[in-house]
C-alpha cells in the first residue's frame, strides 16, 4: 500500500511534465495569434509586432517553455494576457466556485442516484426498475445548455424563485448544480443498479439470506458496500474532469468558475491562462483518480492496489 | 502545486464568504449594466473594443468629451486652437485636477500619456490610430500642451475623445498596474475588478466636476448568451443591457416595464471580396454579387429589421455620408446578365469565411446567390482562426481558396477616413490592414488622401461623395447593412445614451 | 426473476408459427425490442427522408420565419424560414453518420491499443495507459478547439475530436478485458503451443472481447450526439447550413423565451436517439452476459 502510494506520487510529476509539454505545444499549434487578437482588427502590422514583443511571444519556443516551466515550479503561472492579473490569483479566485459547484452536484447525484439504483436493482424488471432506468436515460439525453436555459426561464423569469445569474447566495447554487447533476445522477443510478444486481447474486449474499438476516440489513451492509467500488471509480473519474470546470453550465449561468475562464482564454488565445488552467485541471483529474483508488482500498481491504 | 496545497481552509472559507458577502453590496444604489463581452483591459489605451470603452467611460476622461448631442465639448482641456497650417494645436488644461491616486493632472501627465503611444516598444493595442498622424506632444508650461501633427487630420479633435487619448495616471502606468487597476480622473473610480464576475465602479468624491450625477455604484457584468441577456432584463438583474439582442426587441417594446432604445449605428456589415482571386478580380462579377443580394431580406431575417440596408461604404451617421446613393437593387436577372458578360453564364463556386455570430449572414447569402448560379461555400470559423485566415496575404488566401470574408467595421462618428483608409486604401491590404480583399484603386487612394488633408468640411464631403461612388462602382465589398444601436433598460432608468457604434454612456444614469 | 418469466411463457399455448416465436422473443427481450424500434425510427427517417419530409430542408423563406407548428410546417419554421420538420428528418442522416464515424474511429484506435497494452509487458502497458490518462485528463474544450481549429471546422473533424475523447474509454476497457482473457486456460494453452502473438490477439482475445466492446459502443453512441451539441454551443459545431441536430438546438437557444420550437424538436430527436441506443445497449448487455 505504502509502496503504491509512493509510486503514484512519483508518477504525478511525470504526468504533469507530459501534460505541460503537450498543452504548451498544442496551444501554439492553434491558429490565431494572441497579439493580433489583443491589438484588435484595426491594428497595423507594426502594432501587432510590437504587441508580440511585449507579450514575449517573439522568443524561441524552448525559451518560452523554459520560463513557463520554471515559473510553474515556483508557483508562478505568469500573467494573463487579457486581464493583466497573475494567473495564479485568477485561478484561486475561481477554483472555490468550480469545486463548490462540483461537490454540490455530486452530492445531489449520489443522494439521488444511489438509492434510485438500489431500488431498481431490488425490483429488477419490475416497474420501479423500468421507471428509474427510463428517467435516468432521459436525464442523460438532454443537452445541458438547453436544460439550463429552460430552468432559468422557468424558475427565475416566470416564477421568480431562484436568482438568475452568478454566485451571489446559496440559492445561486441550486440551478447550476442540479443541471450539472443530471448526467452523473443517471450514470450513478445505472452503475449502482448493475453492480447491486451482480453482488446480490454472489454466494455470501445468499448465505446472508439463509442466515435469516433482514433484507434491509443485507442491502445496506453487504450488497451496497461491495457495489460501491464501481460507483467510487466512476465518481472519481468524472468528478476529476469537473475540476477543469463545467464549461457549458458555467457559461450559461455566468458562474465565476474555471470552465468559463478557460473558454474565454481559448477565445483570446490567452496562452498563460490556458496553460495554467489546464495544468490545474489535469492535476485535479489525476489526484481524484488516485483518491478514488485509495478509497476503494478502504472500502474493500481485500483489493491490493499493486 | 501551490494552488492545491495548504489552501483547504482558505478554499472553504472563501467559498462561504463569497456566498454570504455579496448581498450586502446591493445596499448602496447600484446601476447594473450587462454587456455582451468582458472588458479587455482597465487601460483605455490598451484596447479597441466598444464595450470595454463603455465600461471604462465613467472612470476616465480625455482633453475633449462628446456630449449626448454628439458635439465636442471641453473636458480636461478648457480651450484649444490651431495654427493656420492646421499642424500645430495648443491646449489649455483644466487647473487643480487630480487623478484618483492623487497624481496631479498637468502638462507633464498629458505628455507622458501620449508618449507611451508614440513609443514603439510599448506595443499598446490602441496606439495605431495616433501613430499615423501624431508627430509629438510637448509641454509649453504646466498648464499648456502642444501637439504637432505629421499631416493635417480632420478627425484629430474627435479622436481625442477615444480610448488612446483618455488620460491615465502616469504613476499607475509607470508601476505597470494600469491594465488591471483603473486610475483616471473621471466621476467614478474603480471599486472592484473581479475578472470572472464583474467590475464595480464607485463615485469619485474628489471629482473636479462636483458630485457625479449617476447612481452610487455602477456594476458591470457580461454574458455571451442572448437569451440570458433578455432574461436578465426581465428579472431586473440588469438595469441596462447593451447591445440588446434584436430578436427580443419587439417583446421589450411591448412591455411597459422596459424601454428599448434604437438609434442609427455606425457598424457597416459587408462581404469583402478577394479581388486577387478569379473570378472576383472581374468587376462585373463583383457587381453581379451585389445585384444578387437581397439586403432588405437580410435586414429582416438577421437584424429583425433593426438595420438600414447599405447604399454606401459609410454609415449614415458618419460625416460625409451621401444618402442619395442607390447603387444596387435586388435584381437576379441583372446579376445573371453580368455573369454572362464576364464569361460565367452558369455561375461559379466561391467560399466565404465567417465567425460564429455572423454565420447566419453566410447562410442567407448562400441561398440568395444560389439563385444567380453562384455556389457559396460558407466556412464558419472560431474567432481566433478567422482572424488568422482573414489577415492572410494574397498567396495565403489563394492557397486556402478564400474568396471572401464577412465582417463589419465601425468608425463611429470619428470621420470617414477611419472607414476608407483601413478598408479600401491599397496600402492597407492585409496583412498590413483590414483591406481583406487586397482592393487596389489609384483613383480611390488619391481621393482618400486628398479628403484627409482637406480641412474645409464642405469641400471634404464632396470628395468623400466621389469616394463613396467609386467604392460602390468598383464593388470591392458587397455592402450589406448598417446596424442600429440597440440597448434596453428597465423603465425606471433615465439618462442612458449611446455614441453611434454601440458605446453606451451610463455615468449620468439614475434609477427612479 | 428469470424463472417467473419462463413460467409465464410456458403456460401459453405452444404455437410454432414465426410470429409467435418473434413475439415470445420480444417479450423476453423487451429492451432490445424497444431500443431497436426507436433506432429503427431514426434509421428509417434517415433512409427515406425525402418521402417522410417532402419539404426542402435548405429552402429559406424570409417572409415566414420562426413560425409555430402548423399543417404546412408540422414543427414550425426556423429563423431563416426553413421547415424544421424537414431539417430534423434529414438531420437523422447526419446524426447516424456522426455516431458511426465517432464510435467507429474511437474503437479502431482504442481497442488495438488496449489489447496491445494488455498483452505486452509492464513497460508498454504503462506507457500506453499513461498516454491514455493524459488524454483523458486533458480538458475537452482545449482538445476539441485544438483539433477543430487545426483541421478546420467541419463535421468530419468534429467527429474526430469526439472520437479522440472516447479513445481512452475503449483502450481501458479492452485492456482490462485482455488481462482477464489472458489468464484463461485456452489462451495460455495457445501461447504454450507457440501460436503467434498477432494471431492470439485477433483470434483469441479480440473475438472474445468484442461483445462487451459492442455493448459499450451502443451505450456511448448517444453521448456522441450530445457532445456534438455541446461543441455547437461553443461555436465548434457543424458547418451551416447542415441540419445537424446539435447545431439546430444551439441556434435555437438564442431565441428561447421567444420561440421554443427551434430547439425543442431537434432536442426531442436527440432524446429519442440517445434513449434508443441506451435501451438497446442495456438489452444487448443482458443478452450477451455470459453469466446468464
Amino acid at each position: 500500500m505504502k509502496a503504491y502510494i509512493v509510486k503514484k506520487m512519483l508518477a504525478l510529476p511525470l504526468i504533469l511534465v507530459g501534460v505541460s509539454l503537450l498543452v504548451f505545444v498544442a496551444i501554439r499549434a492553434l491558429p490565431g495569434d494572441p497579439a493580433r487578437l489583443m491589438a484588435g482588427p484595426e491594428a497595423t502590422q507594426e502594432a501587432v509586432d510590437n504587441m508580440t514583443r511585449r507579450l514575449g511571444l517573439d522568443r524561441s519556443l524552448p525559451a518560452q517553455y523554459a520560463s513557463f516551466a520554471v515559473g510553474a515550479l515556483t508557483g508562478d503561472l505568469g500573467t494573463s494576457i487579457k486581464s493583466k492579473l497573475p494567473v495564479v490569483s485568477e485561478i484561486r479566485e475561481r477554483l472555490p466556485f468550480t469545486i463548490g459547484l462540483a461537490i454540490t452536484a455530486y452530492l445531489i447525484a449520489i443522494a439521488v442516484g444511489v438509492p434510485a439504483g438500489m431500488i431498481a436493482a431490488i425490483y429488477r424488471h419490475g416497474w420501479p426498475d423500468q421507471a428509474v432506468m427510463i428517467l435516468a436515460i432521459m436525464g442523460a439525453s438532454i443537452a445541458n445548455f438547453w436544460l439550463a436555459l429552460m430552468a432559468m426561464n422557468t424558475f427565475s423569469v416566470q416564477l421568480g424563485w431562484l436568482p438568475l445569474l452568478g454566485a451571489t447566495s446559496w440559492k445561486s447554487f441550486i440551478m447550476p448544480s442540479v443541471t450539472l447533476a443530471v448526467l452523473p445522477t443517471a450514470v450513478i443510478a445505472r452503475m449502482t443498479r448493475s453492480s447491486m444486481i451482480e453482488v446480490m447474486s454472489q454466494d455470501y449474499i445468499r448465505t446472508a439470506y439463509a442466515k435469516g438476516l433482514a433484507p434491509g440489513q443485507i442491502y445496506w451492509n453487504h450488497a451496497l458496500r461491495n457495489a460501491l467500488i464501481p460507483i467510487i471509480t466512476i465518481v472519481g473519474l468524472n468528478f476529476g474532469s469537473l475540476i477543469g470546470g463545467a464549461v457549458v453550465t458555467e457559461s450559461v449561468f455566468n458562474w465565476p468558475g474555471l470552465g468559463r475562464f478557460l473558454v474565454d482564454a481559448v477565445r483570446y488565445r490567452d496562452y498563460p491562462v490556458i496553460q495554467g488552467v489546464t495544468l490545474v485541471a489535469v492535476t485535479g483529474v489525476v489526484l481524484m483518480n488516485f483518491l478514488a483508488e485509495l478509497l476503494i482500498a478502504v472500502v474493500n481491504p481485500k483489493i491490493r492496489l499493486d | 502545486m501551490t494552488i492545491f496545497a495548504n489552501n483547504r481552509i482558505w478554499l472553504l472559507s472563501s467559498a462561504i464568504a463569497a456566498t454570504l458577502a455579496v448581498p450586502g453590496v446591493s445596499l448602496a444604489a447600484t446601476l447594473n449594466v450587462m454587456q455582451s463581452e468582458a472588458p479587455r483591459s482597465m487601460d483605455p489605451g490598451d484596447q479597441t473594443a466598444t464595450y470595454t470603452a463603455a465600461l471604462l467611460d465613467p472612470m476616465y476622461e480625455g482633453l475633449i468629451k462628446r456630449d449626448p448631442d454628439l458635439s465636442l465639448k471641453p473636458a480636461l482641456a478648457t480651450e484649444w486652437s490651431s495654427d493656420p497650417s492646421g499642424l500645430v494645436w495648443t491646449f489649455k488644461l483644466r487647473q487643480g485636477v487630480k487623478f484618483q491616486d492623487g497624481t496631479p493632472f498637468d502638462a507633464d501627465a498629458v505628455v507622458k500619456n501620449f508618449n507611451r503611444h508614440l513609443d514603439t516598444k510599448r506595443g499598446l493595442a490602441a496606439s495605431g490610430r495616433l501613430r499615423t498622424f501624431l508627430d509629438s506632444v510637448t509641454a509649453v508650461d504646466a498648464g499648456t500642451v502642444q501637439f504637432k501633427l505629421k499631416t493635417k487630420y480632420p478627425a484629430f479633435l474627435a479622436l481625442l475623445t477615444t480610448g488612446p487619448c483618455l488620460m491615465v495616471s502616469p504613476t499607475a502606468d509607470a508601476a505597470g498596474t494600469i491594465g488591471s487597476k483603473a486610475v483616471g480622473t473621471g466621476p467614478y473610480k474603480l471599486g472592484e475588478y473581479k475578472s470572472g464576475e464583474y467590475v464595480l465602479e464607485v463615485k469619485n468624491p474628489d471629482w473636479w466636476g462636483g458630485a457625479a450625477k449617476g447612481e452610487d455604484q455602477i456594476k458591470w457584468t457580461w454574458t455571451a448568451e442572448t437569451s440570458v441577456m433578455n432574461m436578465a432584463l426581465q428579472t431586473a438583474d440588469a438595469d441596462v443591457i447593451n447591445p440588446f439582442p434584436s430578436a427580443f426587441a419587439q417583446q421589450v417594446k411591448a412591455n411597459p416595464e422596459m424601454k428599448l432604445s434604437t438609434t442609427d449605428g455606425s457598424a457597416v456589415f459587408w462581404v469583402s471580396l478577394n479581388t486577387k482571386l478569379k473570378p472576383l478580380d472581374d468587376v462585373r462579377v463583383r457587381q453581379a454579387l451585389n445585384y444578387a443580394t437581397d439586403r432588405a431580406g437580410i435586414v429582416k431575417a438577421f437584424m429583425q429589421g433593426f438595420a438600414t440596408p447599405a447604399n454606401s461604404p459609410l454609415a449614415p451617421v458618419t460625416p460625409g455620408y451621401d444618402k442619395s446613393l442607390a447603387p444596387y437593387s435586388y435584381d437576379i436577372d441583372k446579376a445573371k446578365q453580368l455573369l454572362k458578360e464576364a464569361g460565367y453564364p452558369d455561375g461559379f463556386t466561391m467560399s466565404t469565411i465567417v465567425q460564429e455570430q455572423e454565420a447566419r449572414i453566410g447562410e442567407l447569402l448562400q441561398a440568395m446567390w444560389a439563385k444567380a448560379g453562384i455556389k457559396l461555400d460558407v466556412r464558419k470559423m472560431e474567432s481566433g482562426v478567422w482572424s488568422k485566415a482573414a489577415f492572410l496575404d494574397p498567396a495565403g488566401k489563394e492557397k486556402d481558396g478564400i474568396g471572401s470574408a464577412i465582417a463589419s467595421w465601425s468608425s463611429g462618428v470619428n470621420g470617414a477616413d477611419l472607414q476608407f483608409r483601413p478598408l479600401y486604401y491599397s496600402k492597407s491590404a492585409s496583412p498590413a490592414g483590414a483591406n481583406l480583399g487586397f482592393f487596389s484603386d489609384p483613383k480611390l487612394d488619391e481621393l482618400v488622401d486628398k479628403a484627409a488633408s482637406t480641412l474645409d468640411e464642405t469641400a471634404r464631403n464632396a470628395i468623400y461623395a466621389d469616394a463613396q461612388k467609386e467604392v460602390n462602382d468598383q464593388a470591392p465589398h458587397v455592402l450589406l447593412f448598417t446596424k442600429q444601436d440597440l440597448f434596453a433598460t428597465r423603465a425606471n432608468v433615465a439618462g442612458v445614451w449611446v455614441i453611434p457604434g454601440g458605446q453606451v454612456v451610463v455615468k449620468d444614469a439614475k434609477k427612479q | 426473476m428469470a424463472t417467473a418469466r419462463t413460467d409465464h411463457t410456458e403456460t401459453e399455448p405452444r404455437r410454432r408459427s414465426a410470429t409467435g416465436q418473434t413475439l415470445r422473443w420480444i417479450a423476453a427481450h423487451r429492451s432490445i425490442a424497444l431500443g431497436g424500434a426507436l433506432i429503427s425510427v431514426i434509421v428509417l427517417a434517415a433512409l427515406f427522408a425525402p418521402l417522410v419530409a417532402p419539404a426542402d430542408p435548405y429552402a429559406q423563406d424570409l417572409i415566414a420565419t420562426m413560425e409555430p407548428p402548423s399543417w404546412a410546417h408540422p414543427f414550425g419554421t426556423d429563423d431563416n424560414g426553413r421547415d424544421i420538420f424537414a431539417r430534423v428528418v434529414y438531420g437523422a442522416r447526419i446524426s447516424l453518420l456522426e455516431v458511426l464515424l465517432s464510435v467507429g474511429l474511437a474503437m479502431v484506435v482504442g481497442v488495438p491499443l488496449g489489447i496491445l497494452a494488455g498483452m505486452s509487458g509492464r513497460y508498454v502497458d504503462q506507457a500506453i495507459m499513461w498516454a491514455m490518462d493524459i488524454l483523458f485528463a486533458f480538458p475537452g474544450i482545449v482538445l476539441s478547439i485544438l483539433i477543430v481549429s487545426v483541421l478546420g471546422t467541419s463535421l468530419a473533424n468534429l467527429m474526430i475530436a469526439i472520437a479522440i475523447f472516447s479513445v481512452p474509454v475503449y483502450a481501458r476497457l479492452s485492456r482490462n478485458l485482455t488481462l482477464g482473457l489472458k489468464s484463461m486456460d485456452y489462451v495460455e494453452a495457445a501461447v504454450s503451443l507457440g501460436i503467434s502473438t498477432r494471431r492470439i490477439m485477433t483470434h483469441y482475445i479480440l473475438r472474445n472481447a468484442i461483445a462487451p466492446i459492442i455493448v459499450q459502443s451502443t451505450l456511448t453512441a448517444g453521448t456522441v450526439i450530445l457532445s456534438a451539441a455541446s461543441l455547437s454551443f461553443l461555436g465548434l459545431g457543424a458547418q451551416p447550413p447542415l441540419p445537424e441536430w446539435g447545431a439546430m438546438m444551439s441556434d435555437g437557444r438564442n431565441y428561447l423565451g421567444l420561440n421554443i420550437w427551434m430547439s425543442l424538436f431537434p432536442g426531442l430527436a436527440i432524446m429519442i436517439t440517445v434513449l434508443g441506443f441506451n435501451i438497446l445497449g442495456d438489452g444487448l448487455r443482458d443478452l450477451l452476459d455470459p453469466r446468464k
Side-chain angles (χ1 to χ4, degrees):
Chain A
M1 178 88 177
K2 258 188 198 145
Y4 172 80
I5 295 177
V6 170
K7 207 169 110 191
K8 273 275 168 182
M9 292 305 253
L10 287 177
L12 181 63
L14 209 65
I15 290 191
L16 287 181
V17 170
V19 166
S20 69
L21 255 174
L22 190 66
V23 69
F24 184 85
V25 174
I27 59 173
R28 276 161 184 79
L30 276 180
D33 172 5
R36 163 64 71 186
L37 291 167
M38 276 308 292
E42 286 179 34
T44 56
Q45 191 59 44
E46 182 206 14
V48 174
D49 293 343
N50 289 337
M51 181 67 85
T52 307
R53 206 172 321 125
R54 186 181 115 195
L55 299 176
L57 299 172
D58 55 340
R59 295 173 299 161
S60 71
L61 283 185
Q64 287 184 48
Y65 180 73
S67 70
F68 162 59
V70 169
L73 283 177
T74 54
D76 173 13
L77 293 171
T79 308
S80 160
I81 291 177
K82 185 157 162 260
S83 74
K84 280 88 183 172
L85 295 166
V87 175
V88 171
S89 71
E90 290 269 73
I91 291 177
R92 268 190 192 196
E93 204 174 274
R94 290 169 173 83
L95 197 58
F97 289 103
T98 289
I99 293 186
L101 190 60
I103 290 178
T104 327
Y106 268 85
L107 286 180
I108 296 172
I110 292 168
V112 178
V114 171
M118 282 181 72
I119 290 169
I122 293 165
Y123 298 98
R124 191 182 180 188
H125 295 310
W127 68 264
D129 178 21
Q130 274 157 5
V132 165
M133 284 305 106
I134 296 276
L135 271 178
I137 300 170
M138 274 172 68
S141 65
I142 304 173
N144 234 339
F145 62 83
W146 196 78
L147 196 65
L149 289 168
M150 289 306 285
M152 289 162 96
N153 196 27
T154 310
F155 297 107
S156 301
V157 179
Q158 307 297 337
L159 299 171
W161 290 351
L162 296 170
L164 183 70
L165 294 171
T168 47
S169 74
W170 65 269
K171 279 185 179 171
S172 304
F173 274 83
I174 296 176
M175 278 199 293
S177 56
V178 170
T179 313
L180 202 55
V182 170
L183 187 65
T185 306
V187 173
I188 289 173
R190 295 179 63 173
M191 210 70 194
T192 310
R193 174 184 179 268
S194 60
S195 95
M196 279 287 283
I197 287 173
E198 182 149 354
V199 169
M200 272 157 46
S201 65
Q202 302 286 322
D203 290 342
Y204 64 92
I205 298 289
R206 292 185 190 169
T207 319
Y209 270 113
K211 277 200 279 186
L213 286 176
Q217 211 179 347
I218 296 172
Y219 297 142
W220 283 110
N221 294 351
H222 297 268
L224 184 62
R225 193 186 170 92
N226 288 293
L228 268 180
I229 293 165
I231 300 170
I232 294 172
T233 314
I234 208 89
V235 169
L237 275 177
N238 291 314
F239 184 85
S241 65
L242 279 186
I243 307 288
V247 173
V248 171
T249 309
E250 288 189 1
S251 296
V252 175
F253 286 105
N254 260 18
W255 195 257
L258 285 179
R260 194 173 161 225
F261 190 39
L262 186 60
V263 176
D264 279 349
V266 170
R267 189 163 293 148
Y268 292 101
R269 302 293 187 267
D270 197 337
Y271 291 170
V273 172
I274 306 176
Q275 284 164 184
V277 175
T278 307
L279 215 55
V280 169
V282 172
T283 314
V285 174
V286 175
L287 284 180
M288 281 313 297
N289 288 351
F290 179 45
L291 213 67
E293 285 178 10
L294 286 184
L295 212 63
I296 289 167
V298 173
V299 173
N300 189 344
K302 274 179 290 183
I303 287 182
R304 283 183 54 228
L305 284 171
D306 43 2
Chain B
M1 289 278 29
T2 47
I3 298 155
F4 281 108
N6 67 47
N7 275 334
R8 200 167 306 148
I9 296 164
W10 157 84
L11 202 90
L12 214 82
S13 59
S14 72
I16 293 167
T19 43
L20 297 181
V22 185
V25 173
S26 57
L27 285 176
T30 306
L31 184 77
N32 291 295
V33 189
M34 180 181 259
Q35 298 198 100
S36 56
E37 63 169 42
R40 301 191 181 189
S41 178
M42 288 292 117
D43 178 352
D46 199 17
Q47 55 78 34
T48 55
T50 308
Y51 305 118
T52 306
L55 180 146
L56 295 178
D57 171 71
M59 301 188 285
Y60 289 101
E61 294 167 310
L63 297 178
I64 298 179
K65 68 169 178 178
R66 210 173 265 288
D67 259 12
D69 65 2
L70 301 184
S71 63
L72 299 174
K73 292 280 157 59
L76 291 176
T78 50
E79 55 186 277
W80 53 86
S81 60
S82 80
D83 73 339
S85 72
L87 290 174
V88 180
W89 290 76
T90 309
F91 286 77
K92 285 259 176 259
L93 304 181
R94 194 173 292 280
Q95 298 297 303
V97 176
K98 275 189 165 35
F99 285 100
Q100 289 146 4
D101 62 356
T103 309
F105 168 77
D106 53 18
D108 182 49
V110 177
V111 171
K112 280 182 177 153
N113 260 283
F114 283 95
N115 279 348
R116 69 187 192 129
H117 288 296
L118 295 176
D119 178 3
T120 39
K121 287 195 201 80
R122 287 294 297 273
L124 295 169
S127 305
R129 270 186 190 177
L130 286 180
R131 294 168 53 79
T132 57
F133 69 88
L134 185 63
D135 183 53
S136 68
V137 181
T138 47
V140 177
D141 57 54
T144 317
V145 285
Q146 204 167 63
F147 288 73
K148 277 207 181 68
L149 310 189
K150 290 177 187 164
T151 57
K152 283 186 273 192
Y153 201 76
F156 172 55
L157 291 178
L159 273 186
L160 286 181
T161 65
T162 65
C165 305
L166 300 184
M167 296 293 116
V168 307
S169 159
T171 318
D173 185 50
T177 57
I178 191 76
S180 57
K181 204 176 171 314
V183 186
T185 61
Y188 286 81
K189 60 180 183 178
L190 186 66
E192 198 179 8
Y193 172 31
K194 289 237 180 207
S195 68
E197 291 180 82
Y198 56 84
V199 173
L200 190 68
E201 295 166 1
V202 296
K203 276 188 177 172
N204 172 14
D206 305 320
W207 186 45
W208 58 268
K213 281 186 256 169
E215 290 295 341
D216 296 340
Q217 299 184 335
I218 306 173
K219 188 177 172 187
W220 301 79
T221 52
W222 45 87
T223 179
E225 291 299 302
T226 53
S227 57
V228 172
M229 288 181 128
N230 177 48
M231 287 194 257
L233 187 68
Q234 310 264 344
T235 57
D237 275 74
D239 300 306
V240 182
I241 304 270
N242 180 55
F244 192 74
S246 57
F248 298 98
Q250 293 301 343
Q251 222 180 20
V252 167
K253 266 187 172 172
N255 190 330
E257 288 176 26
M258 303 155 200
K259 280 188 298 196
L260 180 75
S261 158
T262 58
T263 48
D264 279 335
S266 72
V268 185
F269 283 69
W270 36 254
V271 188
S272 169
L273 304 172
N274 185 348
T275 58
K276 291 259 188 290
L277 194 75
K278 274 196 176 310
L280 297 167
D281 55 344
D282 189 326
V283 66
R284 288 169 296 188
V285 173
R286 301 201 297 265
Q287 288 171 342
L289 291 174
N290 270 286
Y291 279 114
T293 305
D294 176 9
R295 293 176 176 76
I298 295 178
V299 165
K300 180 181 178 286
F302 186 67
M303 292 301 303
Q304 278 76 29
F306 294 97
T308 318
N311 66 333
S312 148
L314 297 182
V317 293
T318 306
Y321 165 79
D322 183 352
K323 73 164 182 256
S324 69
L325 297 168
Y328 299 102
S329 50
Y330 177 42
D331 188 341
I332 294 286
D333 293 332
K334 186 93 193 227
K336 280 183 178 161
Q337 190 200 326
L338 279 163
L339 283 178
K340 203 166 148 192
E341 284 169 25
Y344 299 95
D346 305 321
F348 62 95
T349 300
M350 65 178 281
S351 73
T352 195
I353 57 168
V354 64
Q355 301 178 69
E356 172 81 6
Q357 64 269 29
E358 279 114 25
R360 274 193 65 218
I361 299 182
E363 265 184 299
L364 292 166
L365 289 174
Q366 196 173 45
M368 288 167 188
W369 291 358
K371 289 180 187 151
I374 298 152
K375 192 177 172 297
L376 183 67
D377 166 26
V378 179
R379 301 185 195 164
K380 187 181 73 178
M381 294 176 170
E382 188 260 351
S383 52
V385 182
W386 184 89
S387 74
K388 187 88 178 174
F391 284 93
L392 283 173
D393 59 9
K397 283 199 178 165
E398 178 153 12
K399 187 171 151 272
D400 292 352
I402 297 171
S404 64
I406 300 175
S408 65
W409 193 266
S410 168
S411 54
V413 277
N414 300 322
D417 191 57
L418 291 175
Q419 195 85 8
F420 276 115
R421 193 173 297 273
L423 295 181
Y424 307 103
Y425 197 67
S426 58
K427 279 186 191 148
S428 303
S430 76
N435 180 353
L436 303 178
F438 321 109
F439 179 59
S440 175
D441 178 5
K443 187 179 163 200
L444 183 77
D445 287 357
E446 201 192 314
L447 286 171
V448 169
D449 282 337
K450 206 168 122 199
S453 57
T454 305
L455 288 177
D456 176 68
E457 198 178 340
T458 323
R460 189 169 66 235
N461 287 351
I463 304 172
Y464 277 135
D466 290 343
Q468 289 168 68
K469 211 175 156 302
E470 178 68 9
V471 169
N472 281 346
D473 290 345
Q474 293 299 317
H477 284 176
V478 176
L479 296 161
L480 301 172
F481 59 86
T482 306
K483 191 175 150 182
Q484 288 180 12
D485 290 329
L486 263 66
F487 71 86
T489 65
R490 298 288 299 176
N492 63 347
V493 177
V496 184
W497 60 283
V498 66
I499 298 172
Q503 183 184 329
V504 81
V505 181
V506 299
K507 61 188 168 198
D508 297 336
K510 281 296 256 183
K511 291 207 269 189
Q512 272 115 28
Chain C
M1 298 172 282
T3 40
R5 211 165 45 196
T6 341
D7 287 348
H8 180 69
T9 36
E10 289 305 327
T11 56
E12 281 177 8
R14 278 178 172 266
R15 272 189 297 144
R16 287 255 162 227
S17 72
T19 36
Q21 275 187 337
T22 315
L23 283 176
R24 266 199 301 283
W25 191 89
I26 287 174
H29 305 282
R30 269 176 299 182
S31 297
I32 295 181
L34 180 59
L38 289 173
I39 298 302
S40 304
V41 169
I42 305 293
V43 171
L44 288 176
L47 285 177
F48 302 106
L51 297 176
V52 181
D56 178 352
Y58 300 108
Q60 301 182 356
D61 179 0
L62 300 186
I63 308 294
T65 57
M66 288 205 273
E67 293 196 339
S70 64
W71 279 113
H73 304 288
F75 289 180
T77 60
D78 72 0
D79 51 354
N80 288 348
R82 295 174 295 204
D83 184 69
I84 297 177
F85 179 65
R87 290 181 70 74
V88 168
V89 169
Y90 279 85
R93 295 179 170 182
I94 297 170
S95 294
L96 289 178
L97 198 69
E98 276 175 1
V99 170
L100 281 177
L101 268 176
S102 289
V103 174
L105 194 62
M107 277 168 70
V108 165
V109 178
V111 172
L113 273 177
I115 294 181
L116 189 70
M119 289 296 292
S120 318
R122 31 186 309 186
Y123 290 111
V124 177
D125 183 15
Q126 273 182 358
I128 292 177
M129 284 303 119
W130 182 72
M132 291 298 115
D133 280 349
I134 289 181
L135 199 58
F136 190 81
F138 215 80
I141 157 104
V142 179
L143 198 63
S144 42
I145 291 190
L146 183 77
I147 295 164
V148 174
S149 308
V150 171
L151 303 175
T153 316
S154 78
L155 195 65
N157 295 335
L158 184 70
M159 295 305 99
I160 294 176
I162 295 173
I164 289 181
F165 293 157
S166 37
V167 165
V169 176
Y170 289 99
R172 191 162 281 282
L173 177 68
S174 29
R175 170 183 175 265
N176 292 347
L177 288 167
T178 310
L179 287 181
L181 289 167
K182 212 164 80 170
S183 57
M184 294 280 179
D185 293 342
Y186 66 95
V187 177
E188 283 181 351
V191 173
S192 62
L193 282 175
I195 294 173
S196 76
T197 317
R198 186 196 281 179
R199 200 177 158 77
I200 291 177
M201 281 190 198
T202 52
H203 281 69
Y204 292 80
I205 305 286
L206 186 59
R207 257 188 208 172
N208 289 294
I210 204 78
I213 291 172
I214 286 177
V215 170
Q216 174 67 36
S217 70
T218 33
L219 290 176
T220 48
T223 41
V224 167
I225 302 174
L226 283 176
S227 302
S230 292
L231 288 177
S232 275
F233 173 85
L234 295 170
L236 299 168
Q239 286 291 357
L242 275 188
E244 200 270 331
W245 290 340
M248 291 169 69
M249 248 190 125
S250 171
D251 288 345
R253 82 177 194 274
N254 292 326
Y255 302 99
L256 277 179
L258 193 69
N259 176 308
I260 194 174
W261 316 113
M262 270 182 74
S263 52
L264 179 71
F265 289 113
L268 284 176
I270 292 179
M271 190 189 269
I272 289 173
T273 314
V274 177
L275 211 61
F277 275 117
N278 276 284
I279 295 176
L280 186 66
D282 278 347
L284 282 178
R285 183 168 50 197
D286 287 351
L287 186 72
L288 298 173
D289 189 352
R291 281 183 297 261
K292 228 175 78 177

